[in-house]
């Protein structure tokens, strides 16, 4: 029985971890689906969101949870600006162009954050009391962030499913030319998708600041994991990204628990490479030409 | 009729004169570079050592990715394997460096053969991400306790290679020269044409009877051989290696940026890019240390948006340079 509860704990911790990846990966996947751009700078939106939340809390004394309400619109606008000024220009260009462009954006943002915010770790102490769940205790903020992630995921899903913007995004993702022929303003769809992705990453940043800490390099570390998640689920498939995130979260938690912390770190990539070998375009992915 | 033969003869003599001029210039440059350690400071020698390393990496990356269009976003894995191979061979097995460098490069190539066999089936952006993941995995593996008996884990390996700075300079220079010559040979061979056909249309190439799998794997391993050689000498240069210093995304991205600047899939593009970017990076680094990454990133953004095809193809398109695969 103890053994069983231990497994439950490992799985739950994995799901909690996976929710953070899911928020990041769903945006990443949506951006790829709509404009075929792999966004290296996506992790930096998480980093900026986290820092914004931290400073709102420490300087402006805003309730840590309420910062989400400010962070998401701000990151939405930031995403819109970055997309229109820079990323839009590499749509339809070779893979290398978008990889290098977004990599450039990523190191600019990271370095500026180091310059202005220093490399210190910044965490928001909030809801640190333990709570019992299925025979193990977790900090409340873990459960809280899982809940918020779940709500945001549901909102995103309904947005894509039921609103006209959502339909336009899905249509563009399936076939941009046909979508254009149907009267969808594809350029605006690209901008909005990118902005929604940035807002979700910003929300993930707030959760990261509450559950652990943010620092300038967090984006470049977590983005690798998010890539693994997205490719695992199939680039452009948002449902796949959610599933992939939870799967990777659990695999990582199990690897950390049963083997070692380093194995936990690499398990995502090992799973990714294995999946790619069997299904070269991810579990739910469409075949994408170079 | 006579007029046209005269122009042909004229053209040939112009070409010959250009050839002689280029030859003389190249010989002069090689002579100066060869004598460099005898009349400059160790700082300049180290700077040129870095230049040669980046020429090797950029040309080595280009040899596979530039010609086949398969974006290797984990090139640092080969550099890392070469560096670790060198360190382990020298500290554990007491190889002399002159044997250790080729052995370590061979290890990197063998590693590429093993991982390339399955991974080269993946295409496009998936291949880029798979290679990035591979480099991350190998870098973290080198720091785990599972490989610690060989790699000493995260502690790293201090080593004395027995090479002086001058010797490192010459060896890296020769490796860079070999990489460029190999690229030249490939670019003008049937093998090079086959690689280009993979880039243009892999399916059509297969239909025409090219074993694209074999061709890609061969270029991949060659590219790794040179990356591994650069890593081996770099290990001697650093005299202390740890996972983060040799499995570093900088060794992937900088060579790519250099190749992109000069022109991917050209022989001299990566050389040009390496020359420009090594010195530019040195200036930025020494003047604006705290913001050097941001400046590099901004340059990268400008480069991708402003001149995505690279200098040499840009000049070729405007007929300032001959449209030949020799360049």
């Amino acid at each position: 029985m103890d053994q069983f509860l231990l497994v439950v704990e490992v799985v739950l911790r994995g799901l909690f971890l996976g929710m953070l990846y899911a928020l990041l990966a769903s945006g990443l996947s949506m951006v790829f689906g709509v404009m075929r751009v792999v966004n290296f700078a996506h992790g930096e939106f998480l980093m900026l969101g986290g820092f914004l939340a931290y400073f709102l809390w420490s300087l402006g004394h805003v309730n840590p949870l309420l910062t989400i309400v400010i962070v998401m619109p701000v990151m939405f606008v930031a995403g819109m600006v970055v997309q229109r000024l820079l990323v839009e220009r590499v749509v339809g260009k070779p893979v290398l162009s978008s990889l290098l462009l977004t990599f450039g954006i990523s190191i600019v943002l990271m370095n500026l954050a180091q310059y202005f915010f220093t490399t210190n770790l910044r965490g928001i102490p909030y809801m640190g009391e333990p709570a019992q769940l299925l025979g193990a205790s977790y900090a409340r903020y873990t459960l809280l962030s899982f809940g918020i992630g779940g709500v945001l995921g549901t909102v995103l899903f309904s947005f894509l499913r039921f609103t006209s913007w959502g339909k336009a995004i899905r249509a563009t993702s399936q076939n941009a030319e046909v979508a254009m022929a149907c009267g969808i303003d594809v350029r605006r769809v690209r901008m909005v998708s990118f902005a929604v992705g940035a807002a979700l990453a910003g929300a993930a940043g707030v959760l990261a600041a509450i559950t652990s800490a943010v620092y300038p390099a967090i984006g470049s570390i977590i983005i690798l994991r998010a890539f693994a998640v997205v490719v695992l689920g199939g680039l452009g498939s948002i449902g796949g990204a959610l599933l992939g995130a939870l799967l990777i979260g659990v695999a990582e938690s199990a690897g950390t628990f049963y083997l070692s912390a380093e194995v936990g770190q690499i398990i995502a990539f090992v799973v990714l490479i294995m999946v790619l070998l069997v299904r070269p375009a991810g579990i739910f992915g469409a075949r994408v030409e170079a | 009729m006579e007029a046209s033969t005269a122009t042909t003869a004229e053209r040939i003599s112009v070409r010959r004169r250009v050839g002689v001029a280029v030859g003389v210039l190249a010989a002069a440059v090689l002579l100066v570079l060869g004598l460099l350690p005898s009349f400059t400071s160790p700082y300049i020698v180290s700077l040129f050592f870095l230049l040669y390393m980046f020429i090797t990496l950029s040309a080595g990356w280009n040899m596979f990715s530039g010609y086949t269009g398969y974006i290797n976003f984990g090139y640092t894995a080969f550099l890392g394997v070469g560096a670790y191979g060198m360190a382990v061979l020298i500290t554990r097995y007491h190889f002399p460096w002159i044997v250790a460098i080729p052995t370590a490069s061979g290890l990197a190539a063998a590693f590429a053969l093993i991982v390339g066999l399955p991974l080269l089936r993946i295409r496009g952006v998936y291949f880029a991400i798979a290679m990035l993941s591979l480099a991350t995995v190998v870098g973290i593996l080198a720091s785990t306790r599972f490989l610690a008996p060989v790699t000493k884990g995260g502690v790293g390996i201090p080593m004395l290679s027995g090479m002086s700075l001058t010797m490192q300079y010459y060896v890296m220079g020769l490796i860079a020269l070999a990489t460029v010559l190999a690229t030249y040979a490939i670019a003008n061979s049937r093998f090079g044409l086959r690689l280009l056909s993979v880039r243009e249309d892999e399916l059509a190439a297969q239909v025409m009877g090219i074993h694209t799998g074999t061709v890609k794997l061969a270029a991949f391993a060659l590219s790794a051989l040179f990356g591994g050689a650069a890593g081996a000498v770099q290990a001697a240069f650093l005299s202390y290696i740890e996972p983060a210093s040799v499995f570093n995304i900088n060794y992937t991205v900088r060579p790519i940026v250099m190749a992109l600047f000069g022109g991917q899939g050209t022989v001299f593009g990566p050389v040009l890019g390496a020359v420009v970017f090594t010195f530019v990076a040195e200036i930025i680094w020494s003047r604006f240390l705290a913001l050097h990454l941001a400046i590099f990133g901004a340059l990268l953004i400008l480069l991708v948006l402003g001149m995505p095809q690279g200098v040499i193809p840009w000049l070729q398109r405007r007929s300032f340079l001959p449209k030949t695969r020799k360049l």
Side-chain angles (χ1 to χ4, degrees), chain A residues 8-79:
Chain A
V8 169
E9 188 186 343
V10 166
V11 170
L12 276 180
R13 285 195 190 282
L15 290 179
F16 296 156
L17 187 67
M19 191 50 94
L20 197 69
Y21 297 156
L23 282 182
L24 207 58
S26 51
L28 202 59
S29 196
M30 186 164 60
V31 166
F32 182 84
V34 170
M35 52 185 126
R36 302 280 178 246
V37 163
V38 174
N39 184 14
F40 249 104
H42 205 71
E44 270 61 36
F45 291 128
L46 176 144
M47 182 266 291
L48 290 177
F51 270 109
L52 187 58
Y54 177 81
F55 288 117
L56 281 171
W57 167 78
S58 67
L59 303 176
H61 306 291
V62 180
N63 177 304
L65 274 188
L66 283 183
T67 59
I68 287 196
V69 184
I70 304 170
V71 166
M72 285 187 73
V74 171
M75 294 317 295
F76 186 90
V77 174

Coordinates of all heavy atoms in Angstrom, one line a residue, chain A residues 8-79:
Chain A
V8 N 1.6 7.1 -6.4 CA 0.6 8.2 -6.6 C 1.3 9.5 -6.4 O 1.1 10.5 -7.2 CB -0.5 8.0 -5.6 CG1 -1.4 9.2 -5.6 CG2 -1.3 6.8 -6.0
E9 N 2.2 9.6 -5.4 CA 2.8 10.9 -5.1 C 3.7 11.3 -6.3 O 3.7 12.4 -6.7 CB 3.6 10.8 -3.8 CG 4.2 12.2 -3.4 CD 5.1 12.1 -2.3 OE1 5.1 11.1 -1.5 OE2 5.8 13.1 -2.1
V10 N 4.5 10.3 -6.8 CA 5.4 10.6 -7.9 C 4.6 11.1 -9.1 O 4.9 12.1 -9.8 CB 6.2 9.4 -8.3 CG1 6.9 9.6 -9.6 CG2 7.3 9.1 -7.2
V11 N 3.5 10.4 -9.4 CA 2.6 10.8 -10.5 C 2.1 12.2 -10.3 O 2.1 13.1 -11.2 CB 1.5 9.8 -10.8 CG1 0.5 10.3 -11.8 CG2 2.1 8.5 -11.2
L12 N 1.6 12.5 -9.1 CA 1.0 13.8 -8.8 C 2.0 14.9 -9.0 O 1.7 15.9 -9.6 CB 0.4 13.8 -7.4 CG -1.0 13.2 -7.3 CD1 -1.5 13.3 -5.9 CD2 -2.0 14.0 -8.2
R13 N 3.2 14.7 -8.4 CA 4.2 15.7 -8.6 C 4.5 15.9 -10.0 O 4.8 17.1 -10.4 CB 5.5 15.3 -7.8 CG 5.3 15.4 -6.3 CD 6.7 15.4 -5.6 NE 6.4 15.3 -4.1 CZ 6.1 16.3 -3.4 NH1 6.0 17.5 -3.9 NH2 5.9 16.1 -2.1
G14 N 4.5 14.9 -10.8 CA 4.8 15.0 -12.2 C 3.7 15.8 -12.9 O 4.0 16.6 -13.7
L15 N 2.5 15.6 -12.5 CA 1.4 16.3 -13.1 C 1.5 17.8 -12.8 O 1.2 18.7 -13.6 CB 0.0 15.8 -12.7 CG -0.4 14.4 -13.2 CD1 -1.7 13.9 -12.6 CD2 -0.4 14.4 -14.7
F16 N 1.8 18.1 -11.5 CA 2.0 19.5 -11.1 C 3.0 20.2 -11.9 O 2.9 21.3 -12.4 CB 2.3 19.6 -9.6 CG 1.2 19.1 -8.7 CD1 1.5 18.6 -7.5 CD2 -0.1 19.0 -9.2 CE1 0.5 18.1 -6.6 CE2 -1.1 18.5 -8.4 CZ -0.8 18.1 -7.1
L17 N 4.2 19.5 -12.1 CA 5.3 20.0 -12.9 C 4.8 20.2 -14.3 O 5.1 21.2 -15.0 CB 6.4 19.0 -12.8 CG 7.8 19.4 -13.4 CD1 8.3 20.6 -12.6 CD2 8.7 18.2 -13.4
G18 N 4.1 19.2 -14.8 CA 3.7 19.2 -16.2 C 2.8 20.3 -16.6 O 2.8 20.8 -17.7
M19 N 2.0 20.8 -15.6 CA 1.1 21.9 -15.9 C 1.8 23.1 -16.3 O 1.4 23.9 -17.2 CB 0.2 22.2 -14.6 CG -0.9 23.1 -14.9 SD -1.9 22.5 -16.3 CE -3.2 21.6 -15.5
L20 N 3.0 23.4 -15.7 CA 3.8 24.5 -16.0 C 4.2 24.4 -17.5 O 4.2 25.3 -18.3 CB 5.0 24.6 -15.1 CG 5.7 26.0 -15.0 CD1 4.8 27.0 -14.4 CD2 7.0 25.8 -14.3
Y21 N 4.7 23.2 -17.8 CA 5.2 23.0 -19.2 C 4.0 23.1 -20.1 O 4.2 23.6 -21.3 CB 5.7 21.6 -19.3 CG 7.0 21.3 -18.5 CD1 7.3 20.0 -18.2 CD2 7.8 22.3 -18.1 CE1 8.4 19.7 -17.4 CE2 8.9 22.1 -17.4 CZ 9.2 20.8 -17.0 OH 10.4 20.5 -16.3
A22 N 2.8 22.7 -19.7 CA 1.7 22.8 -20.6 C 1.3 24.2 -21.0 O 1.0 24.5 -22.1 CB 0.5 22.1 -19.9
L23 N 1.4 25.1 -20.0 CA 1.1 26.5 -20.3 C 2.1 27.0 -21.3 O 1.7 27.8 -22.2 CB 1.2 27.3 -19.0 CG 0.0 27.2 -18.1 CD1 0.2 28.1 -16.9 CD2 -1.3 27.6 -18.8
L24 N 3.3 26.7 -21.2 CA 4.4 27.1 -22.1 C 4.2 26.5 -23.4 O 4.2 27.1 -24.5 CB 5.7 26.8 -21.5 CG 6.9 27.7 -21.9 CD1 6.6 29.1 -21.5 CD2 8.1 27.2 -21.2
A25 N 4.0 25.2 -23.4 CA 4.0 24.4 -24.6 C 2.8 24.7 -25.5 O 2.9 24.6 -26.7 CB 4.1 22.9 -24.3
S26 N 1.6 24.9 -24.9 CA 0.5 25.1 -25.7 C 0.6 26.4 -26.6 O 0.3 26.4 -27.8 CB -0.8 25.2 -24.9 OG -0.6 26.1 -23.8
G27 N 1.2 27.4 -26.0 CA 1.5 28.6 -26.8 C 2.5 28.4 -27.9 O 2.3 28.8 -29.0
L28 N 3.5 27.7 -27.5 CA 4.6 27.4 -28.5 C 4.0 26.6 -29.7 O 4.4 26.9 -30.8 CB 5.7 26.6 -27.7 CG 7.1 26.5 -28.3 CD1 7.6 27.9 -28.3 CD2 7.9 25.7 -27.3
S29 N 3.2 25.7 -29.3 CA 2.6 24.8 -30.4 C 1.7 25.6 -31.2 O 1.7 25.4 -32.5 CB 1.9 23.6 -29.7 OG 1.7 22.6 -30.6
M30 N 0.9 26.5 -30.6 CA -0.1 27.2 -31.4 C 0.7 28.2 -32.4 O 0.3 28.3 -33.5 CB -0.9 28.1 -30.4 CG -2.0 28.8 -31.1 SD -3.2 29.4 -29.8 CE -2.2 30.4 -28.8
V31 N 1.8 28.8 -31.9 CA 2.6 29.7 -32.7 C 3.2 28.9 -33.9 O 3.1 29.3 -35.0 CB 3.7 30.3 -31.9 CG1 4.7 31.0 -32.8 CG2 3.1 31.4 -31.0
F32 N 3.6 27.7 -33.6 CA 4.2 26.9 -34.7 C 3.1 26.5 -35.7 O 3.3 26.6 -36.9 CB 4.9 25.6 -34.2 CG 5.5 24.8 -35.3 CD1 6.7 25.2 -35.8 CD2 4.8 23.8 -36.0 CE1 7.3 24.5 -36.9 CE2 5.3 23.2 -37.1 CZ 6.6 23.5 -37.5
G33 N 1.9 26.1 -35.2 CA 0.9 25.7 -36.1 C 0.5 26.8 -37.0 O 0.3 26.6 -38.2
V34 N 0.4 28.0 -36.5 CA -0.1 29.2 -37.3 C 0.9 29.7 -38.2 O 0.6 30.1 -39.3 CB -0.7 30.2 -36.3 CG1 -1.0 31.5 -37.1 CG2 -1.9 29.7 -35.7
M35 N 2.2 29.8 -37.7 CA 3.2 30.5 -38.6 C 4.4 29.6 -38.9 O 5.3 30.1 -39.6 CB 3.5 31.9 -38.1 CG 4.0 31.9 -36.7 SD 4.2 33.7 -36.3 CE 3.2 33.9 -34.9
R36 N 4.4 28.4 -38.5 CA 5.6 27.5 -38.8 C 6.9 28.1 -38.3 O 7.9 28.0 -39.0 CB 5.7 27.2 -40.3 CG 4.4 26.6 -40.9 CD 4.4 25.1 -40.6 NE 3.2 24.5 -41.1 CZ 2.2 23.9 -40.3 NH1 2.4 23.9 -39.0 NH2 1.2 23.3 -40.8
V37 N 6.8 28.8 -37.1 CA 8.0 29.3 -36.6 C 8.3 28.7 -35.2 O 7.3 28.5 -34.4 CB 7.8 30.9 -36.4 CG1 8.9 31.4 -35.4 CG2 7.9 31.6 -37.7
V38 N 9.5 28.2 -35.0 CA 9.8 27.6 -33.7 C 10.4 28.8 -32.9 O 11.4 29.4 -33.2 CB 10.9 26.5 -33.9 CG1 11.4 26.1 -32.5 CG2 10.4 25.4 -34.6
N39 N 9.7 29.1 -31.8 CA 10.0 30.3 -31.1 C 10.9 30.1 -29.9 O 10.5 29.6 -28.8 CB 8.7 31.0 -30.6 CG 9.0 32.3 -29.9 OD1 10.1 32.8 -30.0 ND2 8.0 32.8 -29.2
F40 N 12.2 30.3 -30.1 CA 13.2 30.2 -29.0 C 13.0 31.2 -27.9 O 13.4 31.0 -26.8 CB 14.6 30.4 -29.6 CG 15.5 29.2 -29.6 CD1 15.7 28.6 -30.8 CD2 16.0 28.7 -28.5 CE1 16.5 27.4 -30.9 CE2 16.8 27.6 -28.5 CZ 17.0 27.0 -29.7
A41 N 12.3 32.3 -28.2 CA 12.2 33.4 -27.2 C 11.0 33.2 -26.3 O 10.7 34.0 -25.5 CB 12.1 34.7 -27.9
H42 N 10.3 32.0 -26.5 CA 9.1 31.8 -25.8 C 9.4 31.7 -24.3 O 8.6 32.2 -23.4 CB 8.4 30.5 -26.2 CG 6.9 30.5 -26.0 ND1 6.0 31.3 -26.7 CD2 6.2 29.8 -25.1 CE1 4.8 31.0 -26.2 NE2 4.9 30.1 -25.3
G43 N 10.5 31.1 -23.9 CA 10.9 31.0 -22.5 C 11.1 32.3 -21.9 O 10.9 32.5 -20.7
E44 N 11.6 33.3 -22.7 CA 11.8 34.6 -22.1 C 10.5 35.3 -21.8 O 10.5 36.2 -20.9 CB 12.7 35.5 -23.1 CG 14.2 35.3 -22.9 CD 14.6 33.9 -23.2 OE1 14.1 33.2 -24.0 OE2 15.5 33.5 -22.4
F45 N 9.4 35.0 -22.4 CA 8.2 35.6 -22.0 C 7.8 35.1 -20.6 O 7.3 35.8 -19.8 CB 7.0 35.2 -23.0 CG 7.2 35.9 -24.3 CD1 7.2 35.2 -25.5 CD2 7.4 37.3 -24.4 CE1 7.4 35.8 -26.7 CE2 7.6 37.9 -25.6 CZ 7.6 37.2 -26.8
L46 N 8.1 33.8 -20.4 CA 7.9 33.3 -19.0 C 8.7 34.1 -18.0 O 8.3 34.5 -17.0 CB 8.2 31.8 -19.0 CG 8.2 31.1 -17.7 CD1 7.7 29.7 -17.8 CD2 9.5 31.0 -16.9
M47 N 10.0 34.2 -18.4 CA 10.9 34.9 -17.5 C 10.4 36.4 -17.2 O 10.4 36.8 -16.0 CB 12.3 34.9 -18.1 CG 13.4 35.6 -17.4 SD 13.7 37.3 -17.8 CE 14.3 37.2 -19.5
L48 N 10.0 37.1 -18.3 CA 9.6 38.5 -18.1 C 8.3 38.5 -17.2 O 8.1 39.4 -16.4 CB 9.4 39.1 -19.4 CG 10.6 39.4 -20.2 CD1 10.3 40.0 -21.6 CD2 11.5 40.3 -19.5
G49 N 7.4 37.6 -17.5 CA 6.2 37.5 -16.7 C 6.5 37.3 -15.3 O 5.9 37.9 -14.4
G50 N 7.4 36.4 -15.0 CA 7.8 36.1 -13.6 C 8.4 37.3 -12.9 O 8.0 37.7 -11.8
F51 N 9.3 38.0 -13.6 CA 9.9 39.2 -13.0 C 8.8 40.3 -12.8 O 8.8 41.0 -11.8 CB 11.0 39.8 -13.9 CG 12.3 39.2 -13.6 CD1 12.9 38.3 -14.5 CD2 13.0 39.5 -12.4 CE1 14.2 37.7 -14.1 CE2 14.2 39.0 -12.1 CZ 14.8 38.1 -13.0
L52 N 7.9 40.5 -13.8 CA 6.9 41.5 -13.6 C 6.0 41.2 -12.4 O 5.8 42.1 -11.6 CB 6.0 41.5 -14.9 CG 5.0 42.6 -15.0 CD1 5.6 44.0 -14.9 CD2 4.2 42.5 -16.3
A53 N 5.7 39.9 -12.2 CA 4.9 39.5 -11.1 C 5.7 39.8 -9.8 O 5.1 40.4 -8.8 CB 4.5 38.1 -11.1
Y54 N 6.9 39.5 -9.8 CA 7.8 39.7 -8.6 C 7.8 41.1 -8.2 O 7.6 41.5 -7.1 CB 9.2 39.1 -8.9 CG 10.1 39.4 -7.7 CD1 10.1 38.5 -6.6 CD2 10.9 40.5 -7.7 CE1 10.9 38.8 -5.5 CE2 11.7 40.7 -6.6 CZ 11.7 39.9 -5.5 OH 12.5 40.1 -4.4
F55 N 8.1 42.0 -9.2 CA 8.2 43.4 -8.9 C 6.8 44.0 -8.5 O 6.8 44.9 -7.7 CB 8.9 44.2 -10.0 CG 10.3 43.9 -10.1 CD1 10.9 43.3 -11.2 CD2 11.2 44.2 -9.1 CE1 12.2 43.0 -11.3 CE2 12.5 43.9 -9.1 CZ 13.0 43.3 -10.2
L56 N 5.8 43.6 -9.1 CA 4.4 44.0 -8.8 C 4.2 43.7 -7.3 O 3.6 44.5 -6.6 CB 3.4 43.4 -9.6 CG 3.2 44.0 -11.0 CD1 2.2 43.1 -11.8 CD2 2.6 45.4 -10.9
W57 N 4.6 42.5 -6.9 CA 4.4 42.1 -5.5 C 5.3 42.8 -4.6 O 4.9 43.3 -3.6 CB 4.6 40.6 -5.4 CG 4.7 40.1 -4.0 CD1 3.7 39.9 -3.2 CD2 5.9 39.7 -3.3 NE1 4.1 39.4 -2.0 CE2 5.5 39.3 -2.0 CE3 7.2 39.7 -3.6 CZ2 6.4 38.9 -1.1 CZ3 8.1 39.3 -2.7 CH2 7.7 39.0 -1.4
S58 N 6.6 42.9 -4.9 CA 7.6 43.4 -3.9 C 7.5 45.0 -3.9 O 7.7 45.5 -2.8 CB 9.0 42.9 -4.2 OG 9.4 43.5 -5.5
L59 N 7.3 45.6 -5.0 CA 7.3 47.1 -5.0 C 5.9 47.6 -4.9 O 5.7 48.6 -4.3 CB 8.0 47.6 -6.3 CG 9.5 47.1 -6.5 CD1 10.0 47.6 -7.9 CD2 10.4 47.6 -5.4
G60 N 5.0 47.0 -5.7 CA 3.6 47.5 -5.7 C 2.7 46.9 -4.7 O 1.5 47.3 -4.6
H61 N 3.2 45.9 -3.9 CA 2.4 45.2 -2.9 C 1.1 44.6 -3.5 O 0.0 44.7 -2.8 CB 2.1 46.1 -1.7 CG 3.4 46.6 -1.1 ND1 4.3 45.8 -0.5 CD2 3.9 47.9 -1.2 CE1 5.3 46.6 -0.1 NE2 5.1 47.8 -0.5
V62 N 1.1 44.2 -4.7 CA -0.1 43.5 -5.3 C -0.1 42.1 -4.8 O 0.9 41.4 -4.7 CB 0.0 43.6 -6.8 CG1 -1.2 42.9 -7.5 CG2 0.2 45.0 -7.3
N63 N -1.3 41.6 -4.6 CA -1.5 40.2 -4.2 C -0.9 39.3 -5.3 O -1.2 39.5 -6.5 CB -3.0 39.9 -4.0 CG -3.2 38.5 -3.7 OD1 -2.8 37.6 -4.5 ND2 -3.9 38.2 -2.6
P64 N 0.0 38.3 -5.0 CA 0.6 37.5 -6.0 C -0.3 36.9 -7.0 O 0.0 36.8 -8.2 CB 1.3 36.4 -5.2 CG 1.5 37.0 -3.9 CD 0.4 38.0 -3.6
L65 N -1.5 36.5 -6.6 CA -2.4 35.9 -7.5 C -3.0 36.9 -8.5 O -3.2 36.7 -9.7 CB -3.6 35.3 -6.8 CG -3.3 33.8 -6.3 CD1 -4.6 33.2 -5.8 CD2 -2.8 33.0 -7.5
L66 N -3.2 38.1 -8.0 CA -3.8 39.2 -8.8 C -2.8 39.6 -9.9 O -3.2 40.2 -10.9 CB -4.2 40.4 -8.0 CG -5.5 40.2 -7.2 CD1 -5.9 41.5 -6.4 CD2 -6.7 39.8 -8.2
T67 N -1.5 39.4 -9.7 CA -0.5 39.9 -10.7 C -0.8 39.2 -12.0 O -0.6 39.8 -13.0 CB 0.9 39.5 -10.2 OG1 1.0 38.1 -10.1 CG2 1.3 40.3 -9.0
I68 N -1.4 38.0 -12.0 CA -1.7 37.4 -13.3 C -2.6 38.3 -14.1 O -2.4 38.4 -15.3 CB -2.4 36.0 -13.0 CG1 -1.5 35.0 -12.5 CG2 -3.1 35.5 -14.3 CD1 -1.9 33.6 -12.5
V69 N -3.5 38.9 -13.5 CA -4.5 39.8 -14.2 C -3.7 40.9 -14.9 O -4.1 41.4 -16.0 CB -5.5 40.3 -13.3 CG1 -6.6 41.1 -14.0 CG2 -6.2 39.2 -12.5
I70 N -2.6 41.4 -14.3 CA -1.8 42.5 -15.0 C -0.8 41.9 -15.9 O -0.7 42.4 -17.1 CB -1.1 43.3 -13.9 CG1 -2.1 43.8 -12.9 CG2 -0.4 44.4 -14.5 CD1 -1.5 44.4 -11.7
V71 N -0.2 40.8 -15.5 CA 0.9 40.2 -16.3 C 0.4 39.7 -17.7 O 1.0 40.0 -18.7 CB 1.6 39.0 -15.6 CG1 2.5 38.2 -16.5 CG2 2.4 39.6 -14.4
M72 N -0.7 39.1 -17.7 CA -1.2 38.5 -19.0 C -1.5 39.5 -20.0 O -1.0 39.4 -21.1 CB -2.4 37.5 -18.7 CG -1.9 36.2 -18.1 SD -3.2 35.0 -18.0 CE -3.4 34.5 -19.7
P73 N -2.2 40.6 -19.7 CA -2.4 41.6 -20.8 C -1.1 42.3 -21.2 O -0.9 42.5 -22.4 CB -3.3 42.7 -20.1 CG -3.9 42.0 -19.0 CD -3.0 40.9 -18.5
V74 N -0.2 42.5 -20.2 CA 1.1 43.2 -20.6 C 1.9 42.3 -21.5 O 2.4 42.7 -22.6 CB 1.9 43.5 -19.3 CG1 3.3 43.9 -19.7 CG2 1.2 44.6 -18.5
M75 N 1.9 41.0 -21.2 CA 2.7 40.1 -22.1 C 2.0 39.9 -23.4 O 2.6 39.7 -24.4 CB 2.9 38.7 -21.4 CG 3.7 38.7 -20.2 SD 5.2 39.7 -20.3 CE 6.1 38.8 -21.6
F76 N 0.7 40.0 -23.4 CA -0.1 39.9 -24.7 C 0.4 41.0 -25.6 O 0.7 40.8 -26.8 CB -1.6 40.1 -24.4 CG -2.5 39.9 -25.5 CD1 -3.0 38.6 -25.9 CD2 -2.9 40.9 -26.3 CE1 -3.8 38.4 -26.9 CE2 -3.7 40.7 -27.5 CZ -4.2 39.5 -27.7
V77 N 0.4 42.3 -25.1 CA 0.9 43.4 -25.9 C 2.3 43.2 -26.3 O 2.7 43.4 -27.5 CB 0.7 44.7 -25.1 CG1 1.2 45.9 -25.9 CG2 -0.8 44.9 -24.8
A78 N 3.2 42.8 -25.3 CA 4.6 42.6 -25.7 C 4.7 41.6 -26.8 O 5.5 41.8 -27.8 CB 5.3 42.1 -24.4
G79 N 3.9 40.5 -26.7 CA 4.0 39.5 -27.8 C 3.5 40.1 -29.1 O 4.2 39.8 -30.2

